[in-house]
Amino acid sequence: MKNNGELNSVIKLSYRMNTVILMCVLIMMGYFKWFRVKFMFWLSVPYIVMYLSHYVLIRKLHLTAFVWSVYSLMTTYMISATVCMGVSSGFILYCMSLIPIAFYLEYISYRIDFKKVSPLILTSMLLAGSCVSALYSLLCGPVYEIERESSEIMFMVNAVAVLFFLVAYTIYITKSIITSEKSLNRLAITDPLTKCYNRNYMMNHLNSLVEENEAKDCWISLVDIDDFKQINDTYGHNFGDTVLKTIAAKLMSDSDVTVARWGGEEFVLCAKSSKVNSSYMEMVRNAVANHPFEYEGKKVRVTISSGVSDYGSFSNTDAWIKDADMKMYVSKGSGKNQTIY
C-alpha cells in the first residue's frame, strides 16, 4: 500500500457511503409501500441484503468489488424505479449524481494502490441504463400509475436528496484537495528526517528578506556537526540520524528562529535580532555539548561549530551566506565546538 493513512480514510468513507445508501433504500421501501409499488418494495429486499454484504467486502479490503457492486446495484435499482414509476418520479437523477464520483474513484485507486476502476465503463453503464429506462418510460409509460401531485412530490424529494448528496460530495472533495495540497507543500519545504525546513525553503526565505529590505535586522548562522563522518563510521548511520534529529530539535527550540537543514550535517539558522539575539547560538552550542548522547551504554560526545553573520552591508544573499560559512570554517579550524561572530 502506498499510504496506510489514505487506505484507512477510504475504508471509513466506504463504510459511511454504504450506510447512507442502505438507509436510502430502506426509506425508498417506505415510499414504494406508501404508493403501492409492490414490485419495487419486494425488489428492495435482496438489495438490502447485498448492501449488508458490502460491509464484509470492505472489511476484507475487496474495495474494487465493492465499487462495482454499488454501481451495478444502484444502476439496476434506479432503472427499475424509473420503469415502474416514470421519468417524472426523479429516480433517474441518482444515476446522474454518480457520474462525477466515478472519475474521483480513479484518483482514489491510484492513491491507495488498488486495482484501477475505469470511470468510462462506470459512466457508460450509468448513462446507458438511464437512457434506456427513460426512453422505455416515455414510450410505454410507467408500469404503475401515480397521481401527478404525488409524482411531483416524489420528484422534489429525490431532487433534494441528490442535491444534498452532491453538496456533501463537493465539500468532501474540496477538503480532500486542500489537505493533499497542504501535505505536498509541507513535503516540498521540509526535510523528512529532521522536520526542519530544507535548503530550498531557506534560500527563498533569505532572498525574500533581502529583496524586501528586512535583512538588516537579521542574523544567520551556518552550523556544522563536528566529526560527523567519524560518528557515522564508528556508530552507524542510525545513530547518526539520531544525532541529526536531536541537534535539529535543539536548534528549533525557539519558534522565532527559522531553521533549515542545509545539506548533510550542516544547518542554517535565521532570526531577527529584535526578537532573538545571536547569542542564542552559543546557548545551543552549550546545550549540544552537554547532551548525554549514548550508544550501547557508552557516552558519546557530540559538538557543533558555527559562524554567525549579521547582514550588514552585504549586497546579496550569497555574500551573506559566504560570510557565515567562512566564520564556521574558522570555528572548525580553531579547535571546533565554538561559535564565531
Side-chain angles (χ1 to χ4, degrees):
M1 299 301 165
K2 287 187 176 181
N3 190 318
N4 285 331
E6 290 279 358
L7 179 60
N8 290 332
S9 178
V10 171
I11 290 172
K12 289 179 182 178
L13 179 62
S14 299
Y15 277 125
R16 291 171 186 169
M17 187 173 105
N18 193 64
T19 301
V20 170
I21 297 173
L22 179 59
M23 295 304 297
C24 287
V25 174
L26 289 170
I27 292 171
M28 287 178 187
M29 276 190 77
Y31 285 166
F32 299 136
K33 185 174 179 61
W34 179 265
F35 291 110
R36 298 177 181 176
V37 184
K38 293 183 179 180
F39 175 79
M40 288 304 303
F41 176 81
W42 290 112
L43 181 66
S44 300
V45 175
Y47 276 75
I48 290 172
V49 173
M50 287 297 296
Y51 282 115
L52 289 173
S53 70
H54 285 168
Y55 291 111
V56 178
L57 287 178
I58 298 169
R59 184 168 58 84
K60 292 186 175 181
L61 298 182
H62 297 315
L63 299 180
T64 303
F66 164 69
V67 170
W68 281 108
S69 181
V70 166
Y71 269 79
S72 299
L73 290 174
M74 288 197 71
T75 302
T76 54
Y77 193 76
M78 296 311 162
I79 287 174
S80 300
T82 301
V83 170
C84 287
M85 305 182 72
V87 177
S88 59
S89 62
F91 285 101
I92 200 171
L93 295 174
Y94 290 96
C95 288
M96 299 297 102
S97 68
L98 289 174
I99 291 176
I101 298 179
F103 290 92
Y104 182 66
L105 286 173
E106 183 178 23
Y107 170 70
I108 289 294
S109 299
Y110 166 76
R111 290 293 295 269
I112 63 175
D113 202 18
F114 261 72
K115 184 178 178 181
K116 182 180 176 181
V117 178
S118 173
L120 293 178
I121 294 177
L122 292 176
T123 301
S124 299
M125 182 173 69
L126 289 167
L127 289 175
S130 300
C131 291
V132 170
S133 60
L135 186 61
Y136 177 86
S137 178
L138 291 172
L139 293 176
C140 304
V143 176
Y144 293 87
E145 291 293 338
I146 299 174
E147 293 180 2
R148 181 178 177 182
E149 184 177 341
S150 298
S151 182
E152 289 176 350
I153 292 173
M154 184 169 288
F155 179 86
M156 288 299 298
V157 170
N158 286 331
V160 170
V162 169
L163 179 62
F164 175 80
F165 169 77
L166 287 174
V167 169
Y169 167 73
T170 304
I171 291 172
Y172 171 78
I173 292 296
T174 302
K175 287 185 177 180
S176 178
I177 292 172
I178 291 173
T179 301
S180 295
E181 285 293 320
K182 286 182 178 179
S183 178
L184 288 172
N185 288 337
R186 186 165 56 251
L187 288 172
I189 64 174
T190 307
D191 175 64
L193 176 65
T194 61
K195 307 306 179 186
C196 56
Y197 291 115
N198 58 25
R199 181 172 185 147
N200 185 57
Y201 176 86
M202 180 59 82
M203 279 301 300
N204 289 334
H205 178 64
L206 296 179
N207 285 330
S208 177
L209 290 174
V210 172
E211 290 169 5
E212 295 174 12
N213 202 30
E214 295 180 4
K216 291 181 179 180
D217 181 41
C218 297
W219 57 266
I220 62 171
S221 177
L222 208 150
V223 179
D224 185 84
I225 302 174
D226 296 326
D227 303 314
F228 186 71
K229 184 179 184 303
Q230 184 179 342
I231 291 172
N232 268 336
D233 292 343
T234 305
Y235 305 107
H237 289 280
N238 287 338
F239 181 75
D241 288 347
T242 299
V243 170
L244 284 167
K245 289 187 283 188
T246 302
I247 291 177
K250 293 184 181 299
L251 294 173
M252 293 187 289
S253 59
D254 192 316
S255 59
D256 287 322
V257 179
T258 302
V259 183
R261 186 178 178 188
W262 199 242
E265 69 273 25
E266 292 185 341
F267 296 85
V268 169
L269 289 76
C270 177
K272 289 189 175 183
S273 300
S274 57
K275 292 186 177 181
V276 182
N277 192 277
S278 58
S279 59
Y280 174 79
M281 291 310 305
E282 185 63 11
M283 181 194 74
V284 173
R285 184 195 65 77
N286 278 317
V288 172
N290 294 319
H291 185 82
F293 287 102
E294 285 190 8
Y295 178 78
E296 296 182 350
K298 179 183 177 181
K299 291 185 177 180
V300 180
R301 179 171 170 78
V302 179
T303 60
I304 59 173
S305 298
S306 61
V308 179
S309 175
D310 295 318
Y311 185 71
S313 58
F314 293 114
S315 58
N316 55 61
T317 304
D318 289 338
W320 191 15
I321 294 173
K322 185 177 181 180
D323 183 66
D325 189 45
M326 289 176 62
K327 290 177 179 178
M328 184 267 289
Y329 275 104
V330 170
S331 171
K332 294 184 77 66
S334 303
K336 304 176 184 178
N337 191 27
Q338 298 181 59
T339 304
I340 300 296
Y341 292 89

